[in-house]
Amino acid sequence: MIEGAVSVLDRADVDTDQIMPKQFLKRVERTGYGEFLFHDWAKEPGWDLPRNPILAAGRNFGCGSSREHAPWGLQDYGFDAVVAPSFSDIFYSNCTKIGLLPVVLSEPDVKAVMAAGAARVDLESQTVSWEGGEAHFEIDTEIRHRLLNGLDDIGVTLQQAGGIDAYEAERERSGPVTTSL
């Protein structure tokens, strides 16, 4: 459950170059990118993007390059969920791999969340609720399972450890030996 104030970025086609400019892609760890989030836009007069648990944005959020640093920066800044009418596919995937929840709602529902200023994102029930409204969102069942259980790709693989061990044990008995110790 993600609940709290909503930061509003009511712009369409926000690309990953704007989210995390290239000059800051110098480290391999996921932390420390929040201070560079929207670096160029943050210089604009009147720019204000409070650190809240939920970001509501315009359509096609995260388009452009496939840089993983963009969702890292959003998460490091403090966002736990991004609500938008649409996302680029690779950005959506990169978000789910680190536990940042991308939520696709209709454009009128996103506008309602922006206007409400606060919302609750419930991954269990796949709903977003705000004062005066609620909407259901779709999410892949595997991604939902991973996020609800705090699993990354390695964690998902380790859940199959028994089957992997059984396969390897069977393979060693019946197949040719391809490894040596």
Side-chain angles (χ1 to χ4, degrees), residues 19-171:
I19 297 170
M20 187 55 55
K22 66 182 179 312
Q23 66 267 31
F24 303 113
L25 311 181
K26 296 177 180 173
R27 21 181 132 143
V28 293
E29 62 272 2
R30 294 180 183 171
T31 57
Y33 286 98
E35 65 183 291
F36 308 118
L37 193 70
F38 300 109
H39 182 266
D40 295 333
W41 291 351
K43 298 174 193 168
E44 295 176 2
W47 173 263
D48 183 29
L49 190 66
R51 294 175 187 254
N52 291 316
I54 302 168
L55 173 65
R59 64 176 163 67
N60 197 26
F61 190 80
C63 60
S65 71
S66 62
R67 66 183 62 161
E68 297 167 316
H69 309 74
W72 294 353
L74 290 163
Q75 191 174 54
D76 193 59
Y77 193 76
F79 298 118
D80 296 319
V82 181
V83 178
S86 61
F87 296 91
S88 79
D89 290 343
I90 189 76
F91 177 82
Y92 185 95
S93 177
N94 285 341
C95 286
T96 64
K97 297 215 183 275
I98 64 167
L100 177 64
L101 178 60
V103 176
V104 177
L105 295 181
S106 71
E107 196 150 346
D109 285 338
V110 172
K111 295 286 186 190
V113 169
M114 290 176 175
R120 175 184 300 155
V121 180
D122 186 342
L123 179 58
E124 184 79 36
S125 66
Q126 295 179 226
T127 58
V128 177
S129 55
W130 60 93
E131 187 174 328
E134 182 175 284
H136 179 81
F137 64 93
E138 296 297 324
I139 188 165
D140 178 86
T141 56
E142 177 62 29
I143 292 171
R144 181 174 175 267
H145 170 76
R146 281 191 300 125
L147 292 173
L148 284 173
N149 294 288
L151 299 169
D152 59 11
D153 288 343
I154 294 170
V156 170
T157 301
L158 289 175
Q159 286 188 317
Q160 306 300 321
I164 294 169
D165 289 344
Y167 171 79
E168 290 295 332
E170 177 65 25
R171 185 172 160 250

